[in-house]
Amino acid sequence: MVPSEENQLVPKEDMLWRCRQSIFDEMKKKFSQIESAADEPRVLCIIQDTTNSKTVNERITLNLPASTPIKRLFEDVATKVGYINGTFDLIWGNGINVANTEPLDQSSDKSVVNAGFESGKKNFLHLTDKDGEQPQIALEESGGADGHNPDRFIGPLPREGSVGCSSDYASQNYSYSSILSKSETGYVGLVNQAMTCYLNSLLQTLFMTPEFRNALYKWEFEESEEDPVTSIPYQLQRLFVLLQTSKKRAIETTDVTRSFGWDSSEAWQQHDVQELCRVMFDALEQKWKQTEQADLINQLYQGKLKDYVRCLECGYESWRIDTYLDIPLVIRPYGSSQAFASVEEALHAFIQPEILDGPNQYFCERCKKKCDARKGLRFLHFPYLLTLQLKRFDFDYTTMHRIKLNDRMTFPEELDMGSFIDIEDEKSPQTESCTDSGAENEGSCHSDQMSNDFSNDDGVDEGICLESNSTVERISKAANEKNSLLYELFSVMVHSGSAAGGHYYACIKSFSDDQWYSFNDQHVSKITHEDIKKTYGGTSGSRGYYSSAFASSTNAYMLIYRMKDTMRNAKFLEVNEYPEHIKKLVEKEKELEEQEKRQREIERNTCKIKLFCMHPVKQIMMENKLEVHKDKTLKEAVEIAYKIIDLEEAVPLNCCRLVKYDEFHDYLERSYEGEEETPMGILLGGVKSTYMFDLLLETRRPDQAFQCYKPGEVMVKVHVVDLRQETVAPPISVRAYLNQTVTEFKHLISKAIHLPAETMRVVLERCYNDLRLLSVANKTLKAEGFFRSNKVFIESSESQDRQLAFPDSQLWKLLDRHANTIRLYVSLPEQSPGTQIRRTVFQKASGDSGNLDEICKRVKGSLGNMKSVEAILEESTEKLKTLSLQQQQQEGDNGDSSKSTEASDFEHIESPSNEIDSSTSTENRELENQIQVSDPDNFQSEERSDSDLNNDRSTSSVDSDILSSSHSSDTLCNVDNAPMPLANGLDSHSITSSRRSKANEGKKETWDTAEEDSGTDSEYDESGKSRGETQYMYFKAEPYIAEEGAGEGQKWLLIHVDKRITLSAFKQHLEPFVGVPSSQFKVFRVCASNQEFESVRLNETLSSFSDDNKITIRLGRALKKGEYRVKVYQLLVNDPEPCKFLLDSVFAKGMTVRQSKEELLPQLREQCGLDLTIDRFRLRKKTWKNPGTVFLDYHVYEEDINISSNWEVFLEILDGAEKMKSMSQLAVLSRRWRPSEMKLDPFQEVVLESSSVDELKEKLGEISGISLENIEFAKGRGTFPCEISVLEIHQDLDWNPKVSTLNVWPLYICDDGAVIFYRDKTEEVVELTEEQRNELMKKESSRLQKTGHRVTYSPRKEKALKIYLDGAPNKDLTQD
């Protein structure tokens, strides 16, 4: 029965409806879950990775629903940090569970809320090691089943952010912990010390060679016979054991390289891996002599080949046997642009014979004549382990640089060498001459080298003949060997880079599982045969014509094959098969690694924080580092800190405690009362690489009690100011709260320093020199600008100074001085200043007063007796006291003495002997008023000469020169030394000021610069105030005894000075101590490296100086504006040292050359003993050591001749009259080369009227007698005197350039001083014997080395790779 259409549709519609309803219900359920999840509380988790120091500052954040199970938390953390789930633990880092050190249960289904997490708050967790093992890195699988991944990279590590890399090479989750955890491959990498990738590649290859590793394990080290540190086989044993058993990802090779005798510098030398292989094998053979392994290298790696030459006429053959450890294969034949396509093709080329014909014919012993011959190589024996070196490094004779050949060369995974061994050669009846070089020539044989070595040896036969075996036996043996010459590839050493440098790594096949691995320093990963194909070189695809330009620089360099022979192929020894000594070594290394792991664990749990302590005896702040385990208590940490600071003999342990300290702000943040048993990890907030605070080991006297420091308090350093004594006391620490009012703060200070709060003035120094008087009683400290650490000054006297506005008060001036005063150490010149003082003091035409004349007579008497400056100053001070007492009595009689009371407090800050009373400054003022300028309004209008200024110093300032000086002169002076009226009407200058400074009335400027706009004395200072409004500057000097080694018999001053003082005023203050006017000495600032720099800008302040800077004073005239210090050197063109320093002089702008020569004459006579006339010498430009432009007498400095600071000039003594008369002339230095005598004549100057070559030849002909057509010349090279070896000059210089003028290429002679060599072209070079040539070469080498010139250019040699069998290089100075 066929159902109707209607009956058929009903079921279908019903089915569709049910499906639609089901989908709708599912979507509804999902939306419901989303809504409920949105309403669900969230838990914020912050996880800190503490597994190593590199990641301890990294945190990850997870915002999870409260219902998330703990096991899901672990999964999310593993995904975020890139670790394998189950290889790490999570423990609490804060909150109510911080005391619980048990890790969270990874398999728990509890929700995070039920496990103790708090929603709406931060939950800190620490990611730690699991069971003492580092977390394992989660790595992507390296390729699919078929290994098909075209973008995979197996070469050196790319830069961060590079693409096309696989595995862990550029993993964003890579961290230092990966070095500590073993690779998932099961193999261990090697750490690159710096540039030891070539060593790592070879060591991994040897380790993965079963026959080599097993033989090495069988060798037993005898400690009684050799030092283990220098034993190469023993250190290789240790390394192989670690590579096999270590749980680390990579191990160090430093012990191996130390056994080579290398130091740390060798790690920075790049070497060739094939060269290392040869040198290491040689070293092992030497170490293994007379042992079972003595012939191991030869058994495994040595093959034999025959080097033959066969006569093509008679068939006579001369040959010899050579051994080899590797076969060098040429990538590209010499002279060809086409490379060999494969290793097989290169091997065929290696044994391809060449025909010796024409001039290269071979002398046949049988034919007794030169005949055509065939020369070539034949393989006689292949080693068990066959090493092929692909010679990718070559020399480009076009560019004269080393290059790397990146051409593609394929190599098979299985290589049949049977076709390359010659059997027929063994039975040749015409082979009569034989040679076996044997071990003498053992090593790598280079085909190109052999081709050259034997082409001209005429078949010389030397050595020992081979053993005589029957022909049948030899053929049978060779045939059997030929049938078993199938090799399998197991190691490819890859080089990436250029001939200048690059990176090595190894691709090695494991014989255990036939899996290929990439050993790239510390990284080991699986690779496939497709990755091996990428090391063929060449281009990765078709790029057409430009394919060579895009060739990959990553390609195979060394290939190692193993013979496929089931009888010989070995497997790695199992652990139970190890010799007994290796089992002991394994246990020893395991124990050492466990100790290292435990130590690492301790390091990871050790808090390292800065520790400070003010030593109670030495009173210096000591700094150290406190290292304490996080589980150690605070009490135990105090004991450790107590021992670190070494306080056992200074203070008892119970008088010490640790407090939280901020060294930057010098702020005590808090103390830890009642927390002596709390672990340091909790107190410090966990183990961190750096902390935002420090610890202070605080001490107390036994009769004192520690103060409690609470969080929120601020530290205040209180300095008590004494206005009467004008002193600022050392600070007293007081702790206050920011919400305290100023009144409450005053009462707090009053209790601490016992001063009345009612009369207390509090000044806050908010920052440098920012003084703020706290005058609002109910204002809080926070509103006043207090911070963590603060400095306040307290003054509590009842003086009238309180009535003045703060900026005008004596308190402000004293604090301002205190803030700007610096301490300097000044070294005085040793020369006695008597002459200069006499000149300064007695230039005065007439005295100004009887008292002053009396002082001058007193000083004159002192000078006559040649007393010291100190004695003069002492007597002057005593005289000053007498004068002061006399004038005080006079003024007392007049009733005016009270006028000076206020002024004395400010003007005379500190008396040298503390015996001069307050009226002294008034008397000094009156004494100075006797020599004051009459018209102060004309201060800036007067233009003064230097002599006028000196006269002013000697007349109107005599009182200041002498009377103000003492052993400890303490003065205030004006910044520009101009008079300034005080509030009490007194003149600003007092007799205690060291310099009256009328000398500064005019525009006095002395600058050691050439700039016009360098800055001149202005009528206004930088702040815009007139000079009359500038502030006083503090100056105090006292004798200082320098520490040992600071100079024998040298006098020092300790000076406290306001750093706003100008250099000019500072020098004037120093005049009494130096003993000469300020214009006659120079100030040098001494830097940390003891370099001295002259300070020359007189109107600059000392603001760049800081406390404890050293200053050296040297006698010598200071420069005025427009003057320049010039170093004068003598030019001696024919001396071995042509540049000789003579003296320092001063040239001025606008001075002519002749005027400067006139000033030089007496200096040359006095200082250098050169008695010259002005026309007997010239000055010329000096550029480095090259003489340049000749300066003519009428030239003017700065107009015709550019001059600058520290300029240098040549002085040249003339043999006759000056030939240079005009700037159009050209003076060159000529030197004749005599090839027949192999010598150079002395220099002769030639003056040309033009730049014509013809004129040059004419002049040279005149002085030499050579005809013009035979003169050849060349320009000298390099620095004057352009030295060159006589063995090279004839062919190395560009003789007889094809030019008509000297100022064009290639000569470019445009200035005086060029060196011209010339010769007679008809003069033949003398023929030298070999002995004469060697003797001359030695003489020339010695001559040129003395003058600082090299004989020939020699590029930097690469350091040879050496392994020292005694563990250290020989200290032989003759070695290269």
Side-chain angles (χ1 to χ4, degrees):
M1 178 179 177
V2 180
S4 64
E5 292 182 8
E6 186 179 352
N7 291 334
Q8 292 177 8
L9 290 172
V10 172
K12 290 184 179 179
E13 290 176 355
D14 186 49
M15 185 182 298
L16 289 171
W17 174 254
R18 287 199 202 99
C19 290
R20 188 180 300 169
Q21 187 65 33
S22 176
I23 294 171
F24 178 75
D25 292 342
E26 188 68 27
M27 291 178 63
K28 186 176 180 181
K29 183 180 178 181
K30 291 286 185 184
F31 280 122
S32 177
Q33 289 178 353
I34 293 172
E35 288 177 3
S36 62
D39 297 334
E40 185 179 359
R42 312 290 288 185
V43 174
L44 181 63
C45 302
I46 300 175
I47 298 97
Q48 180 183 8
D49 186 355
T50 62
T51 56
N52 64 79
S53 59
K54 301 294 183 182
T55 61
V56 72
N57 289 325
E58 298 176 6
R59 291 173 172 80
I60 64 168
T61 303
L62 296 175
N63 194 7
L64 305 173
S67 60
T68 303
I70 293 295
K71 63 181 181 181
R72 178 60 186 272
L73 169 66
F74 273 85
E75 293 172 3
D76 290 348
V77 171
T79 304
K80 275 275 190 178
V81 298
Y83 293 149
I84 296 176
N85 192 13
T87 64
F88 60 87
D89 282 332
L90 294 176
I91 64 172
W92 289 101
N94 75 333
I96 59 174
N97 299 303
V98 70
N100 181 12
T101 57
E102 289 295 320
L104 298 177
D105 185 2
Q106 182 181 350
S107 60
S108 174
D109 289 324
K110 279 186 180 180
S111 67
V112 289
V113 173
N114 294 334
F117 289 75
E118 298 180 79
S119 61
K121 294 184 178 180
K122 295 179 180 179
N123 297 272
F124 289 91
L125 295 172
H126 288 170
L127 188 152
T128 63
D129 299 338
K130 186 177 181 67
D131 301 327
E133 295 289 338
Q134 286 278 331
Q136 295 182 21
I137 303 296
L139 301 171
E140 297 176 7
E141 291 300 324
S142 58
D146 58 352
H148 201 70
N149 187 357
D151 294 328
R152 185 202 295 249
F153 180 81
I154 63 166
L157 299 182
R159 301 292 183 190
E160 184 177 351
S162 61
V163 297
C165 54
S166 69
S167 184
D168 55 347
Y169 291 139
S171 169
Q172 294 180 352
N173 298 317
Y174 172 75
S175 68
Y176 181 73
S177 63
S178 62
I179 298 178
L180 302 177
S181 58
K182 199 166 185 176
S183 167
E184 77 285 352
T185 62
Y187 289 103
V188 178
L190 294 173
V191 175
N192 192 333
Q193 295 182 37
M195 296 181 180
T196 56
C197 53
Y198 65 97
L199 172 66
N200 293 347
S201 301
L202 180 61
L203 290 176
Q204 292 284 17
T205 298
L206 296 177
F207 173 73
M208 295 295 285
T209 306
E211 293 77 8
F212 185 89
R213 191 204 298 183
N214 295 345
L216 181 66
Y217 280 177
K218 290 176 183 177
W219 175 82
E220 184 173 0
F221 172 67
E222 297 292 341
E223 193 166 355
S224 59
E225 298 179 3
E226 189 178 8
D227 184 0
V229 175
T230 60
S231 175
I232 298 172
Y234 176 67
Q235 293 302 334
L236 283 177
Q237 261 189 1
R238 288 189 60 238
L239 183 76
F240 282 15
V241 166
L242 288 173
L243 286 173
Q244 196 166 353
T245 62
S246 177
K247 295 179 180 179
K248 294 181 182 179
R249 187 178 188 86
I251 58 175
E252 298 280 353
T253 58
T254 49
D255 288 339
V256 174
T257 55
R258 192 177 293 114
S259 71
F260 291 170
W262 295 359
D263 56 22
S264 58
S265 65
E266 289 286 348
W268 294 93
Q269 295 289 332
Q270 297 188 48
H271 290 296
D272 186 276
V273 68
Q274 185 266 347
E275 180 187 12
L276 172 70
C277 183
R278 301 302 333 289
V279 174
M280 185 188 291
F281 282 175
D282 287 344
L284 287 173
E285 286 188 316
Q286 292 293 326
K287 289 287 186 179
W288 277 336
K289 280 183 177 179
Q290 299 179 351
T291 68
E292 187 181 336
Q293 290 75 20
D295 202 37
L296 175 66
I297 301 299
N298 292 338
Q299 291 173 6
L300 295 179
Y301 295 95
Q302 181 176 279
K304 288 187 178 182
L305 55 76
K306 175 190 285 189
D307 184 2
Y308 69 92
V309 181
R310 174 174 289 181
C311 177
L312 294 181
E313 292 189 13
C314 69
Y316 174 83
E317 183 176 291
S318 175
W319 54 269
R320 72 178 185 188
I321 304 299
D322 280 328
T323 60
Y324 62 89
L325 294 180
D326 54 63
I327 302 174
L329 299 180
V330 175
I331 297 289
R332 190 190 300 168
Y334 180 74
S336 173
S337 61
Q338 188 67 32
F340 294 124
S342 65
V343 163
E344 297 94 323
E345 191 176 331
L347 280 167
H348 281 292
F350 183 81
I351 59 176
Q352 179 69 33
E354 63 173 322
I355 302 300
L356 303 180
D357 56 5
N360 292 328
Q361 277 188 325
Y362 163 72
F363 183 86
C364 178
E365 291 289 340
R366 177 175 293 175
C367 300
K368 301 299 180 182
K369 65 174 182 177
K370 286 192 174 183
C371 305
D372 290 349
R374 179 184 293 118
K375 182 183 185 303
L377 301 169
R378 296 191 186 102
F379 288 112
L380 301 180
H381 169 70
F382 288 111
Y384 177 69
L385 296 172
L386 178 64
T387 304
L388 304 178
Q389 181 202 6
L390 310 185
K391 298 184 67 176
R392 292 195 173 274
F393 298 108
D394 203 350
F395 190 82
D396 188 344
Y397 288 94
T398 305
T399 61
M400 302 302 288
H401 286 96
R402 289 178 63 193
I403 59 171
K404 182 183 176 187
L405 304 175
N406 294 313
D407 301 80
R408 178 182 176 85
M409 177 178 276
T410 64
F411 45 87
E413 194 161 4
E414 286 193 353
L415 178 62
D416 186 0
M417 296 297 290
S419 60
F420 300 102
I421 196 163
D422 195 343
I423 300 176
E424 295 299 321
D425 178 64
E426 300 292 331
K427 58 180 182 180
S428 174
Q430 296 162 330
T431 301
E432 296 181 3
S433 177
C434 64
T435 303
D436 183 4
S437 64
E440 286 184 19
N441 293 323
E442 173 186 327
S444 175
C445 53
H446 298 269
S447 58
D448 53 347
Q449 181 181 348
M450 290 178 186
S451 176
N452 295 328
D453 290 347
F454 299 107
S455 60
N456 296 316
D457 66 356
D458 295 332
V460 176
D461 300 330
E462 56 185 358
I464 305 169
C465 290
L466 290 172
E467 296 177 2
S468 176
N469 295 324
S470 68
T471 305
V472 177
E473 289 176 353
R474 289 203 305 267
I475 295 175
S476 175
K477 184 179 177 181
N480 291 333
E481 185 176 353
K482 182 171 182 177
N483 294 330
S484 62
L485 292 180
L486 189 62
Y487 286 83
E488 62 176 323
L489 178 69
F490 80 95
S491 177
V492 180
M493 282 177 246
V494 183
H495 181 269
S496 175
S498 66
H503 176 68
Y504 284 101
Y505 62 95
C507 300
I508 306 174
K509 184 175 76 171
S510 169
F511 291 112
S512 302
D513 56 5
D514 286 337
Q515 171 65 50
W516 281 93
Y517 296 93
S518 170
F519 290 84
N520 193 339
D521 289 336
Q522 63 260 38
H523 302 276
V524 184
S525 60
K526 291 182 180 181
I527 56 174
T528 67
H529 190 66
E530 291 298 317
D531 297 318
I532 301 299
K533 290 181 179 179
K534 294 179 182 177
T535 65
Y536 289 164
T539 57
S540 57
S542 177
R543 294 182 183 268
Y545 179 78
Y546 295 100
S547 60
S548 61
F550 293 93
S552 171
S553 66
T554 301
N555 33 54
Y557 182 64
M558 274 184 71
L559 309 173
I560 301 183
Y561 287 83
R562 186 176 77 162
M563 185 183 293
K564 297 187 75 172
D565 185 346
T566 54
M567 299 297 293
R568 297 186 65 182
N569 293 161
K571 294 184 178 180
F572 295 112
L573 291 177
E574 299 294 335
V575 176
N576 56 357
E577 299 174 332
Y578 286 166
E580 198 60 35
H581 64 275
I582 294 296
K583 290 179 180 179
K584 292 179 181 178
L585 184 58
V586 169
E587 291 301 319
K588 179 182 176 182
E589 294 301 329
K590 278 186 177 180
E591 179 59 30
L592 289 174
E593 190 165 312
E594 286 299 321
Q595 289 180 9
E596 185 183 344
K597 184 187 294 183
R598 288 193 292 270
Q599 184 60 37
R600 232 175 22 244
E601 183 67 25
I602 293 172
E603 287 289 323
R604 282 200 299 272
N605 291 290
T606 298
C607 303
K608 299 177 182 179
I609 188 169
K610 275 188 180 181
L611 175 67
F612 294 89
C613 177
M614 176 60 72
H615 199 283
V617 177
K618 301 177 183 177
Q619 287 301 307
I620 57 173
M621 182 64 82
M622 304 185 70
E623 180 180 349
N624 214 313
K625 179 181 282 189
L626 177 64
E627 297 185 4
V628 58
H629 194 277
K630 67 177 183 180
D631 295 333
K632 293 280 187 182
T633 63
L634 176 62
K635 184 179 179 181
E636 293 171 317
V638 171
E639 294 175 4
I640 296 172
Y642 181 75
K643 292 178 181 177
I644 291 175
I645 302 297
D646 193 19
L647 296 179
E648 285 86 349
E649 298 179 2
V651 65
L653 176 62
N654 59 3
C655 291
C656 302
R657 70 170 181 177
L658 286 172
V659 296
K660 193 175 181 180
Y661 177 60
D662 181 357
E663 188 262 342
F664 181 78
H665 294 100
D666 192 18
Y667 170 58
L668 296 171
E669 294 193 19
R670 61 159 297 187
S671 53
Y672 298 106
E673 282 79 9
E675 299 189 69
E676 287 76 11
E677 299 302 323
T678 304
M680 291 299 291
I682 295 176
L683 287 181
L684 300 180
V687 180
K688 301 178 181 179
S689 57
T690 57
Y691 291 90
M692 300 300 293
F693 56 90
D694 314 299
L695 289 179
L696 174 74
L697 185 63
E698 193 178 21
T699 62
R700 63 175 175 86
R701 294 196 304 270
D703 58 337
Q704 287 181 323
F706 281 123
Q707 184 180 350
C708 178
Y709 306 140
K710 298 178 181 179
E713 292 179 332
V714 293
M715 173 74 73
V716 183
K717 292 187 179 296
V718 179
H719 298 260
V720 178
V721 178
D722 188 337
L723 286 183
R724 184 174 299 276
Q725 298 295 328
E726 296 198 346
T727 59
V728 179
I732 300 171
S733 295
V734 176
R735 294 181 72 86
Y737 290 96
L738 292 177
N739 57 0
Q740 281 182 323
T741 63
V742 172
T743 301
E744 293 170 339
F745 181 59
K746 287 182 179 180
H747 286 287
L748 179 66
I749 295 176
S750 177
K751 293 178 182 178
I753 61 177
H754 308 293
L755 289 177
E758 293 75 17
T759 59
M760 187 180 292
R761 284 188 289 177
V762 181
V763 179
L764 170 67
E765 185 179 79
R766 292 187 295 187
C767 56
Y768 167 71
N769 211 23
D770 179 11
L771 303 173
R772 179 186 180 90
L773 181 66
L774 307 185
S775 55
V776 182
N778 60 351
K779 204 169 183 180
T780 64
L781 300 186
K782 184 176 182 179
E784 290 286 8
F786 277 67
F787 188 55
R788 280 184 162 189
S789 185
N790 310 274
K791 182 194 288 188
V792 299
F793 299 92
I794 303 298
E795 195 279 323
S796 190
S797 68
E798 299 184 2
S799 65
Q800 296 299 316
D801 192 62
R802 298 170 51 86
Q803 309 301 324
L804 300 175
F806 179 58
D808 299 328
S809 66
Q810 184 183 353
L811 175 61
W812 184 91
K813 292 170 183 173
L814 182 60
L815 295 180
D816 178 69
R817 186 198 81 184
H818 178 267
N820 288 284
T821 299
I822 56 174
R823 180 174 59 247
L824 302 175
Y825 296 94
V826 179
S827 170
L828 298 177
E830 297 180 7
Q831 179 177 335
S832 173
T835 305
Q836 297 290 353
I837 292 182
R838 187 181 296 112
R839 185 182 67 189
T840 303
V841 174
F842 301 112
Q843 279 181 351
K844 180 176 174 64
S846 60
D848 290 310
S849 67
N851 289 336
L852 186 60
D853 288 338
E854 185 179 350
I855 295 171
C856 292
K857 290 175 183 178
R858 180 76 172 177
V859 174
K860 185 175 181 179
S862 300
L863 291 172
N865 296 328
M866 294 303 292
K867 290 187 179 181
S868 66
V869 177
E870 287 82 355
I872 298 171
L873 300 181
E874 284 182 2
E875 293 179 5
S876 302
T877 304
E878 293 300 322
K879 186 64 181 177
L880 176 62
K881 293 179 185 177
T882 306
L883 288 172
S884 299
L885 290 173
Q886 292 174 358
Q887 294 194 0
Q888 182 180 358
Q889 291 174 0
Q890 294 173 5
E891 292 204 3
D893 295 339
N894 296 332
D896 296 334
S897 60
S898 61
K899 284 176 62 179
S900 63
T901 304
E902 285 291 337
S904 65
D905 288 339
F906 174 63
E907 289 177 271
H908 188 67
I909 291 181
E910 186 178 340
S911 172
S913 57
N914 292 325
E915 295 179 6
I916 302 178
D917 61 18
S918 60
S919 65
T920 303
S921 58
T922 305
E923 311 305 326
N924 293 342
R925 175 186 57 78
E926 292 189 1
L927 179 61
E928 190 179 64
N929 282 341
Q930 298 174 21
I931 55 173
Q932 238 179 354
V933 291
S934 59
D935 190 6
D937 294 333
N938 294 330
F939 259 29
Q940 305 303 324
S941 62
E942 192 175 349
E943 192 73 29
R944 314 289 297 278
S945 68
D946 189 61
S947 59
D948 292 335
L949 298 178
N950 285 333
N951 289 336
D952 281 343
R953 290 193 188 96
S954 62
T955 56
S956 59
S957 297
V958 164
D959 51 341
S960 300
D961 279 332
I962 304 302
L963 299 182
S964 67
S965 305
S966 69
H967 281 277
S968 176
S969 64
D970 189 357
T971 65
L972 285 174
C973 70
N974 184 276
V975 68
D976 289 301
N977 299 292
M980 171 183 171
L982 298 180
N984 56 11
L986 297 177
D987 185 33
S988 64
H989 283 274
S990 69
I991 198 63
T992 56
S993 182
S994 68
R995 174 59 59 189
R996 171 73 170 76
S997 289
K998 182 180 176 184
N1000 284 335
E1001 293 173 5
K1003 284 186 170 181
K1004 178 178 178 292
E1005 276 294 338
T1006 59
W1007 291 75
D1008 194 4
T1009 73
E1011 292 83 6
E1012 289 289 343
D1013 57 349
S1014 308
T1016 56
D1017 266 348
S1018 171
E1019 189 174 349
Y1020 297 91
D1021 63 10
E1022 293 179 358
S1023 62
K1025 295 182 180 180
S1026 68
R1027 295 185 175 190
E1029 298 175 6
T1030 51
Q1031 299 300 320
Y1032 287 91
M1033 296 303 166
Y1034 178 72
F1035 183 94
K1036 176 183 176 182
E1038 56 190 23
Y1040 171 73
I1041 300 175
E1043 56 192 29
E1044 293 184 9
E1048 292 292 333
Q1050 203 165 9
K1051 297 177 183 177
W1052 288 81
L1053 290 178
L1054 175 60
I1055 292 179
H1056 292 82
V1057 63
D1058 194 312
K1059 61 184 176 183
R1060 295 168 297 182
I1061 196 173
T1062 61
L1063 179 62
S1064 174
F1066 179 67
K1067 290 183 68 175
Q1068 291 173 12
H1069 279 295
L1070 288 174
E1071 283 183 3
F1073 305 99
V1074 181
V1076 298
S1078 60
S1079 62
Q1080 299 300 319
F1081 66 85
K1082 298 170 283 186
V1083 176
F1084 291 85
R1085 183 173 181 175
V1086 183
C1087 296
S1089 57
N1090 286 329
Q1091 287 183 302
E1092 295 184 354
F1093 297 93
E1094 185 178 0
S1095 298
V1096 294
R1097 296 178 179 269
L1098 294 183
N1099 60 352
E1100 283 190 357
T1101 66
L1102 304 185
S1103 57
S1104 62
F1105 289 72
S1106 56
D1107 270 336
D1108 298 331
N1109 276 173
K1110 291 183 179 180
I1111 291 175
T1112 298
I1113 304 298
R1114 299 195 187 282
L1115 297 180
R1117 186 168 76 80
L1119 299 179
K1120 296 181 290 184
K1121 188 170 184 178
E1123 290 185 335
Y1124 304 88
R1125 204 171 305 284
V1126 177
K1127 292 184 180 297
V1128 181
Y1129 293 80
Q1130 185 177 2
L1131 177 63
L1132 303 163
V1133 293
N1134 287 308
D1135 274 23
E1137 182 52 56
C1139 182
K1140 176 186 175 183
F1141 176 74
L1142 293 178
L1143 51 83
D1144 281 320
S1145 186
V1146 176
F1147 291 0
K1149 175 185 175 182
M1151 178 187 288
T1152 64
V1153 172
R1154 187 174 184 86
Q1155 288 173 333
S1156 65
K1157 288 166 68 176
E1158 290 172 350
E1159 290 202 2
L1160 282 174
L1161 285 174
Q1163 299 177 45
L1164 292 170
R1165 197 161 32 248
E1166 295 173 8
Q1167 299 182 35
C1168 308
L1170 294 176
D1171 193 4
L1172 304 173
T1173 62
I1174 197 167
D1175 295 323
R1176 277 286 314 280
F1177 71 95
R1178 64 158 67 128
L1179 299 180
R1180 65 190 304 169
K1181 183 179 179 181
K1182 179 179 181 291
T1183 306
W1184 181 227
K1185 292 184 178 181
N1186 298 312
T1189 308
V1190 175
F1191 299 147
L1192 305 181
D1193 283 353
Y1194 58 83
H1195 284 164
V1196 179
Y1197 296 116
E1198 283 290 19
E1199 293 182 11
D1200 304 308
I1201 303 169
N1202 292 326
I1203 190 170
S1204 59
S1205 299
N1206 297 317
W1207 199 46
E1208 295 181 341
V1209 68
F1210 268 130
L1211 180 149
E1212 185 179 10
I1213 299 176
L1214 301 174
D1215 295 329
E1218 175 64 83
K1219 299 177 183 178
M1220 291 290 291
K1221 304 295 183 183
S1222 167
M1223 287 295 292
S1224 62
Q1225 292 176 306
L1226 185 66
V1228 297
L1229 294 166
S1230 66
R1231 196 172 191 185
R1232 181 172 179 178
W1233 158 238
R1234 298 182 182 271
S1236 61
E1237 303 175 34
M1238 297 295 285
K1239 75 171 188 178
L1240 287 162
D1241 285 353
F1243 279 104
Q1244 289 180 283
E1245 185 177 72
V1246 174
V1247 177
L1248 306 175
E1249 299 299 327
S1250 66
S1251 297
S1252 168
V1253 170
D1254 292 338
E1255 184 184 359
L1256 172 65
K1257 289 185 175 182
E1258 289 176 6
K1259 297 285 186 180
L1260 294 177
E1262 290 175 6
I1263 62 176
S1264 65
I1266 305 173
S1267 60
L1268 297 184
E1269 62 272 12
N1270 292 331
I1271 290 180
E1272 291 184 336
F1273 72 94
K1275 182 183 177 183
R1277 298 173 182 167
T1279 305
F1280 184 82
C1282 306
E1283 292 284 10
I1284 187 172
S1285 171
V1286 295
L1287 294 171
E1288 300 169 354
I1289 186 173
H1290 202 73
Q1291 63 272 9
D1292 279 10
L1293 292 182
D1294 298 326
W1295 290 98
N1296 214 28
K1298 305 301 181 183
V1299 293
S1300 57
T1301 58
L1302 301 176
N1303 55 3
V1304 297
W1305 182 88
L1307 297 177
Y1308 289 124
I1309 299 176
C1310 304
D1311 196 6
D1312 302 327
V1315 173
I1316 295 292
F1317 293 100
Y1318 68 97
R1319 68 185 181 189
D1320 185 345
K1321 70 178 182 180
T1322 62
E1323 189 175 349
E1324 296 293 333
V1325 180
V1326 64
E1327 290 290 336
L1328 299 175
T1329 65
E1330 192 64 29
E1331 184 179 349
Q1332 289 174 328
R1333 179 174 291 275
N1334 291 336
E1335 185 66 25
L1336 186 57
M1337 185 179 295
K1338 288 180 182 178
K1339 289 182 180 179
E1340 285 296 282
S1341 178
S1342 175
R1343 177 179 69 88
L1344 296 177
Q1345 284 176 359
K1346 287 179 182 178
T1347 59
H1349 292 76
R1350 291 178 293 184
V1351 180
T1352 56
Y1353 169 73
S1354 177
R1356 182 183 66 86
K1357 293 182 179 179
E1358 294 182 5
K1359 190 173 181 180
L1361 191 151
K1362 296 180 181 178
I1363 291 179
Y1364 305 93
L1365 299 181
D1366 58 351
N1370 296 324
K1371 303 298 181 183
D1372 187 357
L1373 299 178
T1374 63
Q1375 289 183 351
D1376 184 21

